[in-house]
Amino acid sequence: MGIFKRLFKIGESEANAAIDKLEDPIKLTEQGIRDLKSDLDKSLQALAEVKAMGIRARNEVKASEAKARDYEEKAVLLLKRAQSGNLDPAEADRLATEALTKKEEALKDVERAKGEQAHFETNVAQLDQNVKKIRSTISKYENELKTLKARVKVSSATKKLNKQMAQIDSSSTVSMLERMKDKVAEDEALAESYGEIANESKTLDDEIDKALEGSGSIKASSDLEALKAKLGMEKKD
């Protein structure tokens, strides 16, 4: 899956508010970030390899330039030896010509290596831009993932709380209070009913005893006074 296709998929998932109906956006984003990091590793490896080829081309330029200078110096020395009589002029010309030919070959190598160096440096610049872009995208989506996780937690907690509140208002507390009121009213009416029944079941003796309540103590007091009088324990003034 290409980078831009995945980026589109990640953006699409984040824009989707219907979390429960489609793919889990958190898992999808985490997978997208893992894919991007994998691409980043590959891009870094490619960048390192192309940079290495650029370094080799640059070193080859330097080496070929040095070789060209060396052959030129040798050609000069050969001609000077012939001029000083230390070398046959014809042989000096032949060898100097060969040295100059080698110099030209070295200069061609310099031009070729410079072209390769420029090509690799252009590739390095492009790969470096891609690496920076992928790093920036990963950082962006990691931050957005943190925000998304926080939003999901808040949404879940709010949903749970609202659900609990809805259940309490609609069917739990209110209904329970109404049932309690009915039960108390029923018990009160039943208690009053038992009271009326008890009053209706009193006998005539019960009514008489109730009317004479307290007369027993009066009679006991009278009997006590009589007993004291009989024993000569009359009250002294």
Side-chain angles (χ1 to χ4, degrees):
M1 183 182 294
I3 295 174
F4 295 107
K5 188 174 181 180
R6 276 199 303 277
L7 291 177
F8 173 76
K9 195 173 183 181
I10 294 170
E12 185 181 38
S13 68
E14 290 184 355
N16 189 356
I19 295 173
D20 296 332
K21 294 180 180 178
L22 297 178
E23 295 179 85
D24 186 336
I26 291 179
K27 292 182 179 178
L28 190 59
T29 304
E30 289 175 338
Q31 182 59 48
I33 291 173
R34 285 194 291 272
D35 292 342
L36 284 172
K37 287 184 176 179
S38 176
D39 290 337
L40 176 61
D41 291 338
K42 294 176 182 176
S43 296
L44 287 172
Q45 184 178 358
L47 177 61
E49 291 175 352
V50 175
K51 271 190 174 182
M53 288 188 284
I55 291 172
R56 289 177 59 187
R58 185 179 62 199
N59 292 336
E60 188 176 354
V61 168
K62 293 179 180 178
S64 296
E65 287 176 341
K67 186 183 290 184
R69 286 194 299 271
D70 183 59
Y71 279 119
E72 184 175 359
E73 291 173 356
K74 287 179 178 176
V76 171
L77 289 175
L78 288 168
L79 293 177
K80 284 183 177 179
R81 284 200 172 191
Q83 187 177 22
S84 62
N86 295 324
L87 184 64
D88 179 69
E91 183 64 9
D93 287 348
R94 186 184 68 82
L95 293 176
T97 301
E98 291 292 336
L100 291 176
T101 301
K102 291 288 185 181
K103 172 193 170 186
E104 290 300 319
E105 291 176 357
L107 290 176
K108 289 181 181 178
D109 289 339
V110 169
E111 293 303 317
R112 177 187 52 77
K114 282 185 176 179
E116 292 178 353
Q117 182 183 357
H119 177 70
F120 291 141
E121 287 176 351
T122 300
N123 289 341
V124 166
Q126 292 176 346
L127 287 171
D128 191 53
Q129 286 295 321
N130 288 339
V131 167
K132 290 178 179 176
K133 184 176 181 180
I134 294 174
R135 281 177 171 162
S136 175
T137 302
I138 290 173
S139 176
K140 174 186 174 184
Y141 281 102
E142 283 181 337
N143 290 331
E144 292 189 3
L145 179 60
K146 292 178 183 176
T147 302
L148 182 61
K149 286 182 176 180
R151 288 176 58 192
V152 169
K153 286 183 178 178
V154 171
S155 175
S156 177
T158 303
K159 180 181 177 181
K160 184 178 180 180
L161 179 61
N162 288 340
K163 185 177 180 180
Q164 290 175 337
M165 292 298 294
Q167 289 176 341
I168 288 173
D169 290 341
S170 62
S171 62
S172 179
T173 304
V174 173
S175 177
M176 181 179 66
L177 288 174
E178 291 299 326
R179 289 198 301 271
M180 287 299 294
K181 288 179 181 179
D182 292 341
K183 179 63 176 175
V184 171
E186 181 180 341
D187 289 344
E188 288 175 346
L190 186 60
E192 185 178 351
S193 174
Y194 278 128
E196 291 177 357
I197 293 172
N199 289 331
E200 290 174 356
S201 63
K202 287 183 179 177
T203 63
L204 180 60
D205 290 337
D206 293 333
E207 295 179 3
I208 293 172
D209 290 341
K210 184 176 181 180
L212 292 177
E213 283 181 353
S215 60
S217 60
I218 296 174
K219 183 175 182 305
S221 178
S222 177
D223 291 343
L224 178 61
E225 291 300 327
L227 180 59
K228 287 181 177 179
K230 185 177 179 179
L231 296 173
M233 298 171 63
E234 294 182 353
K235 188 176 179 182
K236 295 181 180 179
D237 298 332

